Amino acid sequence: MFKITRKLEYALIALRYIQGQSEDKVVSAKEISGVYRIPLQLLAKILQELSKHDILEATQGAHGGYKLKKSLDQMNLTALIKILEGPIGIMDCSIDTKCVQLDICNIRKPINRVNDAIISMFDNLTLSEITGI
Amino acid sequence: MFKITRKLEYALIALRYIQGQSEDKVVSAKEISGVYRIPLQLLAKILQELSKHDILEATQGAHGGYKLKKSLDQMNLTALIKILEGPIGIMDCSIDTKCVQLDICNIRKPINRVNDAIISMFDNLTLSEITGI
DNA sequence: ACATATACGACTTTTTTAGTCGTATATAAT
DNA sequence: ATTATATACGACTAAAAAAGTCGTATATGT
Ligand code: SF4
Ligand code: SF4
């Protein structure tokens, strides 16, 4: 309950690692997978998603890999979560509206306030603040 | 990802409902289950847990049910979550320490700060603020 | 005695998350 | 050209967590 997914953690670890390398070095999924013991195939898919969303730039073929495409202080945690996991929301009704309790729910408004507070916190958190400097 | 569990929502709905009834009325699980269309057995188990932790006071037998045992402004969301779901923590290492990445993790500290911010937010949120006045 | 309610553990189902596999394609080096 | 290495991508399986059910015992008001 209320946990960050592994997927997201792997993405952050990778982003921070890539950020720590020299500006124009392309870093392969294999390298990161080795250093942090992240399952290669899984990490690869994550990096591919980040690449598809213009956070990373991929180079194919031998000696290929990834490098940052946009500065990490230009993106917040909300954006990253949306890419990897879709819309954020601590309760169902904040995302879709199939909840049976919806019309009579007596906690919807207050829970929504909590939801907003968390999202706003994520909005104001740049990735560079998470990945250090 | 990052969602409140149904269990927690049902607990909050029930607490708010009981709070809305006249002070010394005992409210049965069946009544709440009926009003909010919450599966009876599931709700019953939740209320039993709350009762075991002195948040509700149970009356057994016919015409039995529950009433509040402590005022809701004397308990915060963190406490309720701990009762229903155990220790809070947005990443594994904030709870137990079996993560393979633990010793080399490059995002642990910053993620921990996020974790602390969320917990502190929950700490400062009394149940009465969620269940309304 | 009976109806109604809590108490509680075991169990099953459903949903979500995590991880794997297979195959295609791009590219550098030999 | 061939080989080795890497990304790209969809389908699949496995594992874990959450949601819900069942059965049975016990308490109590009528
Ligand atoms: S309507 Fe109420 S019970 Fe349903 S998802 Fe929203 S907050 Fe939760
Ligand atoms: S050590 Fe790092 S990867 Fe492991 S649970 Fe903690 S934050 Fe996540």
Side-chain angles (χ1 to χ4, degrees), chain A residues 1-24:
Chain A
M1 178 261 179
F2 238 80
K3 276 204 306 198
I4 273 185
T5 59
R6 237 50 181 124
K7 213 168 151 186
L8 185 58
E9 284 194 316
Y10 293 160
L12 290 170
I13 288 175
L15 287 174
R16 173 155 199 183
Y17 181 81
I18 295 171
Q19 188 186 36
Q21 303 304 113
S22 64
E23 180 83 33
D24 50 355

Side-chain angles (χ1 to χ4, degrees), chain A residues 108-128:
Chain A
R108 199 182 169 195
K109 274 181 206 162
I111 286 289
N112 243 308
R113 285 199 299 272
V114 179
N115 192 45
D116 291 347
I118 289 174
I119 290 179
S120 139
M121 185 183 144
F122 288 177
D123 277 344
N124 292 312
L125 195 63
T126 66
L127 292 191
S128 57

